[in-house]
């Protein structure tokens, strides 16, 4: 799967790929491969999986051949889902009073389990055990999601009375989740609460919950300003020919896939200019920004009307290209409260 997410100047540099093929191929090595997992094209949860990968919320597995896979139909363990939930919501706690006998302090999942347990989001399975390597069921997963999102989602509406959900501890949580639309049954009347959850199901459930977070919405200016500021800083770098400052500028405004691909192509730009190629970019028309959607943690900002004049020279040869900057920026709220761009879909790729 190859995403159509590129910097404006990279789109223009693509015109020169035949002349610089070796350099471009090098740019597509790891870590970019981590953002382009195989075998999810056409999957029923493709959109949610791709979004989670781009935003650094979901990591893939590298097989012996070097391909990165997400294994969306594979089961997900209690430790894996707890870690994903903590990462998605950026949960934090200093409380270390709750420990489990089967969670070793040096294990990769010890910290997220500690946080989730301290916040009352995740409990053990009895006998002072958490069961980190046990596969989580759909019912158990629903319980954790409802607890984690309890304060930021309005659980209203009519609950679905699933015929296969008995009167057990997860029933009220399943009803709440159905009220909010976080879960859907395998049929109109069946939920399969004791069926082992799949990785794709976990991602979709979390995405639905994230889309409902509207208790602390950002101002539109908080979302459009990073786009404007990043553009201003990049244009200044091109004006000053200070291409070695691109990485620092990208780190300030970008994250996830957009940061990775920006850094990869910035490396090529630095190499090319050091080899004597000339590159300049200037604004031809200002872009108009509109917030399409926003939640407490994620947002989409549409850019229309913007364009740039980009000039590339090779000795006496010069090529000038007018490039549109129309598309949609996807942003996420970072730990420090700043909003950063993690993806950009050009208008052409969105068609």
């Amino acid at each position: 799967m190859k995403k159509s997410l590129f910097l404006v100047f990279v789109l223009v540099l693509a015109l020169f790929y035949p002349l610089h093929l070796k350099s471009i191929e090098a740019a597509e090595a790891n870590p970019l491969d981590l953002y382009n997992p195989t075998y999810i094209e056409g999957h029923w949860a493709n959109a949610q999986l791709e979004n989670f990968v781009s935003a650094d919320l979901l990591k893939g597995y590298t097989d012996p051949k070097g391909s990165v896979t997400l294994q969306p139909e594979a089961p997900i363990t209690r430790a894996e889902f707890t870690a994903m939930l903590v990462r998605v919501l950026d949960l934090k706690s200093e409380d270390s009073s709750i420990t489990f006998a089967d969670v070793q302090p040096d294990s990769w999942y010890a910290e997220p389990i500690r946080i989730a347990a301290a916040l009352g989001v995740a409990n053990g399975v009895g006998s002072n055990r958490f069961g980190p390597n046990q596969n989580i069921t759909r019912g158990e997963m629903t319980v954790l999601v409802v607890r984690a999102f309890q304060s930021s989602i309005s659980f209203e509406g009519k609950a679905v009375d699933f015929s296969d959900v008995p009167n057990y501890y997860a029933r009220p949580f399943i009803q709440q989740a159905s009220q909010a639309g976080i879960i859907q049954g395998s049929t109109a009347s069946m939920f399969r609460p004791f069926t082992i959850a799949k990785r794709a199901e976990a991602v979709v459930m979390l995405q639905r919950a994230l889309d409902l977070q509207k208790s602390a919405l950002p101002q539109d200016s908080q979302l459009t300003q990073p786009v404007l500021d990043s553009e201003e800083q990049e244009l200044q770098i091109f004006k000053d020919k200070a291409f070695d400052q691109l990485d620092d500028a990208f780190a300030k405004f970008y994250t996830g896939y957009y940061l990775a691909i920006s850094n990869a192509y910035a490396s090529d730009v630095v190499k090319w200019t050091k080899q004597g190629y000339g590159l300049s970019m200037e604004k031809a028309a200002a872009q108009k920004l509109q917030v399409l959607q926003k939640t407490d943690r994620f947002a989409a900002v549409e850019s229309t009307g913007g364009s740039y004049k980009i000039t590339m020279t090779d000795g006496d040869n010069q090529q000038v290209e007018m490039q549109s900057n129309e598309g949609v920026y996807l942003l996420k709220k970072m730990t420090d409260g700043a909003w950063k761009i993690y993806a950009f879909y050009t208008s052409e790729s969105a068609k």
Side-chain angles (χ1 to χ4, degrees):
M1 176 193 62
K2 186 68 175 177
K3 303 183 183 73
S4 297
L5 305 130
F6 299 96
L7 293 171
V8 173
F9 69 87
V10 171
L11 286 169
V12 174
L13 293 182
L15 297 173
F16 300 87
Y17 280 7
L19 300 178
H20 307 284
L21 184 59
K22 182 176 180 181
S23 182
I24 291 299
E25 287 177 343
E28 291 192 349
N30 285 331
L32 291 184
D33 289 346
L34 298 176
Y35 293 97
N36 290 279
T38 58
Y39 311 124
I40 67 168
E41 193 74 30
H43 190 276
W44 66 271
N46 176 73
Q48 294 89 343
L49 291 167
E50 182 174 316
N51 188 54
F52 264 50
V53 169
S54 296
D56 279 343
L57 301 179
L58 180 66
K59 303 294 183 183
Y61 304 96
T62 303
D63 65 22
K65 295 182 179 180
S67 297
V68 177
T69 63
L70 293 181
Q71 300 179 18
E73 295 303 303
I76 183 169
T77 67
R78 287 171 53 81
E80 289 173 330
F81 184 73
T82 301
M84 189 186 301
L85 185 59
V86 169
R87 182 167 57 248
V88 164
L89 288 177
D90 193 25
L91 299 179
K92 291 180 174 60
S93 175
E94 300 299 324
D95 187 358
S96 58
S97 62
I98 300 177
T99 60
F100 298 98
D102 57 350
V103 177
Q104 299 303 314
D106 59 350
S107 61
W108 67 266
Y109 47 73
E111 183 65 3
I113 288 177
R114 178 194 67 77
I115 293 173
L119 295 176
V121 172
N123 297 326
V125 295
S127 302
N128 193 33
R129 295 173 56 253
F130 186 80
N133 297 315
Q134 292 181 20
N135 292 329
I136 195 169
T137 67
R138 285 165 53 85
E140 291 173 328
M141 188 166 66
T142 303
V143 171
L144 268 65
V145 170
V146 171
R147 285 175 177 162
F149 286 87
Q150 192 72 57
S151 62
S152 59
I153 287 180
S154 179
F155 293 90
E156 299 177 346
K158 183 178 180 180
V160 179
D161 187 18
F162 295 110
S163 61
D164 62 342
V165 177
N167 189 22
Y168 80 124
Y169 84 98
R171 181 178 177 82
F173 296 94
I174 293 173
Q175 289 180 324
Q176 280 186 285
S178 71
Q179 284 180 297
I182 296 174
I183 63 171
Q184 297 176 1
S186 56
T187 68
S189 62
M190 298 186 68
F191 179 66
R192 299 184 294 119
F194 303 108
T195 299
I196 299 301
K198 298 176 181 178
R199 284 167 57 83
E201 291 175 325
V203 169
V204 170
M205 186 180 292
L206 288 173
Q207 183 70 73
R208 287 173 180 163
L210 288 168
D211 290 344
L212 292 171
Q213 281 193 311
K214 302 270 179 92
S215 63
L217 294 176
Q219 297 293 319
D220 283 4
S221 60
Q222 292 178 265
L223 306 174
T224 57
Q225 200 61 48
V227 176
L228 296 173
D229 289 346
S230 63
E231 176 194 56
E232 180 181 358
Q233 187 158 339
E234 287 176 41
L235 286 172
Q236 188 63 49
I237 287 174
F238 272 78
K239 181 179 179 180
D240 298 338
K241 308 298 181 184
F243 300 115
D244 57 349
Q245 297 178 14
L246 282 170
D247 283 351
D248 289 338
F250 294 155
K252 184 176 180 180
F253 299 107
Y254 304 157
T255 188
Y257 178 75
Y258 204 52
L259 176 60
I261 197 170
S262 299
N263 286 339
Y265 284 104
S267 177
D268 275 321
V269 169
V270 171
K271 291 176 183 177
W272 292 341
T273 54
K274 286 183 177 180
Q275 291 171 7
Y277 297 104
L279 180 64
S280 65
M281 178 170 68
E282 56 186 288
K283 183 185 293 187
Q287 59 183 325
K288 179 181 179 181
L289 300 177
Q290 178 183 2
V291 177
L292 296 181
Q293 60 185 41
K294 59 183 178 180
T295 65
D296 294 358
R297 299 176 180 278
F298 294 89
V301 176
E302 182 181 38
S303 170
T304 57
S307 63
Y308 301 88
K309 176 184 177 183
I310 301 181
T311 305
M312 188 170 184
T313 58
D314 180 3
D316 294 332
N317 299 320
Q318 183 182 86
Q319 182 159 343
V320 178
E321 180 77 13
M322 298 301 294
Q323 178 61 50
S324 168
N325 187 35
E326 296 197 341
V328 177
Y329 294 91
L330 301 184
L331 297 89
K332 63 178 285 191
K333 188 177 182 179
M334 307 301 291
T335 300
D336 62 0
W339 286 84
K340 291 189 177 183
I341 302 165
Y342 70 88
F344 176 68
Y345 288 87
T346 65
S347 294
E348 182 179 349
S349 69
K351 292 179 180 179

